[in-house]
Amino acid sequence: MSFADYLNVFFQSKIGLIFAFVLGSMFGSFFNVCIYRLPKELSIIKPRSFCPSCNKTIPWYYNIPLISWLYLRGKCAYCGAKISFRYFFVELLTALIFTFGVYKFGFSLKALEFIVLTSLMLILFFTDLYERILPDEITLGFIPIGLIFAYFSPERGFLESLVVGVIGAGLLFLLAYIYLKIKGIEGMGMGDVKMLALMGTFLGKKAFLALMIGSIIGTIVGLFIIYVLKKGRHYEIPFGCFLAIGTVITYLYGDNLIHYYVTHFLQHY
């Protein structure tokens, strides 16, 4: 067997999956830094991790992914301030993303693409949820990475991803502009437009399916928030969260959804 085959066997083993889980949790710790700092336009490199309440630098033994949050019971070791469950949750989700990626796709470029895309969607989900911001460092910064993956992808080509990214973002911008002119209020921000461009580079033409799925989920959740939770019609819905969900669903099950639609609906016409 080649070296790549040995790596594939390793990552399909229990030890390999545990390794992927631990590695993912470490990246999740870094993603928490991105989620907290990028909307505030702070460096994600310096300074080291610190408590948002007392600004004390967190030593490495209080910064072990998953374990430290559980050990400290979700509190700062110095000032006792509550540390959001989000930190633990993001580390756990990222660990599961890494584990699932190598379990489903093995040691492959496809696994790397899945891990990168889903990790980006995870960061965008939480920055939009908490701050209503989709940072350019993610949406625009990773478009070249998506195009590189597209170049090597047998499912979509470089040109398809480039065209869909441009056209998709352009159409969404046009819809947002028309809504603004008609309603006089902003229906979606430029962050959503840039995010769709990113989605297009990773998904190709299936980005429109992701947009549709995200819109359906967003509409259902939005109606619940407005009419059940009584937040009002002008409550700002974090549409990027639903685009992120739609993107992951489409990446994993897009072909199956399209096949189901064609065989169960289009065949009757």
Side-chain angles (χ1 to χ4, degrees):
M1 290 193 300
S2 65
F3 181 67
D5 291 331
Y6 280 112
L7 286 176
N8 191 54
V9 172
F10 170 74
F11 279 110
Q12 294 294 299
S13 68
K14 290 182 180 180
I15 296 177
L17 294 176
I18 292 173
F19 175 80
F21 185 90
V22 173
L23 182 64
S25 69
M26 295 169 64
F27 272 88
S29 181
F30 173 69
F31 294 164
N32 273 319
V33 173
C34 295
I35 292 167
Y36 177 79
R37 297 189 186 187
L38 286 178
K40 296 176 173 56
E41 299 185 351
L42 300 174
S43 170
I44 60 175
I45 306 299
K46 294 182 180 180
R48 288 172 49 193
S49 296
F50 58 89
C51 172
S53 298
C54 65
N55 292 321
K56 287 270 192 179
T57 299
I58 301 175
W60 69 267
Y61 47 85
Y62 285 146
N63 203 25
I64 301 173
L66 299 176
I67 296 174
S68 291
W69 192 92
L70 292 173
Y71 175 76
L72 296 172
R73 297 181 181 179
K75 297 180 180 179
C76 174
Y78 299 104
C79 67
K82 183 179 179 180
I83 300 174
S84 173
F85 176 71
R86 186 201 80 205
Y87 288 88
F88 178 86
F89 189 52
V90 168
E91 291 172 355
L92 178 60
L93 278 180
T94 311
L96 294 175
I97 287 170
F98 275 58
T99 306
F100 180 79
V102 297
Y103 175 77
K104 183 172 179 63
F105 302 110
F107 182 75
S108 64
L109 188 63
K110 184 77 171 176
L112 179 60
E113 182 181 57
F114 169 78
I115 290 171
V116 170
L117 176 61
T118 311
S119 296
L120 295 177
M121 293 301 113
L122 177 69
I123 296 171
L124 292 173
F125 180 95
F126 283 101
T127 58
D128 200 32
L129 180 64
Y130 284 97
E131 303 291 343
R132 300 299 192 272
I133 292 175
L134 298 167
D136 289 348
E137 292 88 346
I138 304 296
T139 56
L140 296 181
F142 280 85
I143 285 177
I145 304 300
L147 292 174
I148 291 173
F149 278 120
Y151 180 80
F152 293 100
S153 174
E155 301 172 359
R156 69 189 191 282
F158 177 88
L159 184 59
E160 176 187 325
S161 291
L162 179 62
V163 170
V164 171
V166 173
I167 293 179
L171 288 175
L172 197 62
F173 173 78
L174 180 61
L175 290 174
Y177 179 78
I178 293 173
Y179 186 90
L180 177 62
K181 287 299 182 180
I182 294 176
K183 294 289 188 178
I185 57 175
E186 190 177 80
M188 63 183 69
M190 282 301 298
D192 299 317
V193 175
K194 298 169 188 175
M195 184 173 177
L196 186 59
L198 175 67
M199 292 160 54
T201 62
F202 275 92
L203 298 176
K205 56 181 175 291
K206 286 188 287 187
F208 296 112
L209 174 61
L211 174 60
M212 183 178 71
I213 293 173
S215 298
I216 293 172
I217 297 175
T219 299
I220 295 172
V221 174
L223 290 174
F224 179 81
I225 291 174
I226 292 172
Y227 293 105
V228 178
L229 299 184
K230 307 296 183 181
K231 292 293 185 179
R233 299 176 67 89
H234 297 296
Y235 180 80
E236 185 180 357
I237 304 296
F239 187 50
C241 294
F242 308 114
L243 287 178
I245 295 172
T247 297
V248 177
I249 292 175
T250 299
Y251 189 88
L252 290 174
Y253 307 111
D255 291 333
N256 294 334
L257 291 172
I258 293 172
H259 176 74
Y260 181 85
Y261 176 77
V262 170
T263 55
H264 288 78
F265 293 96
L266 291 187
Q267 67 177 6
H268 298 296
Y269 294 95

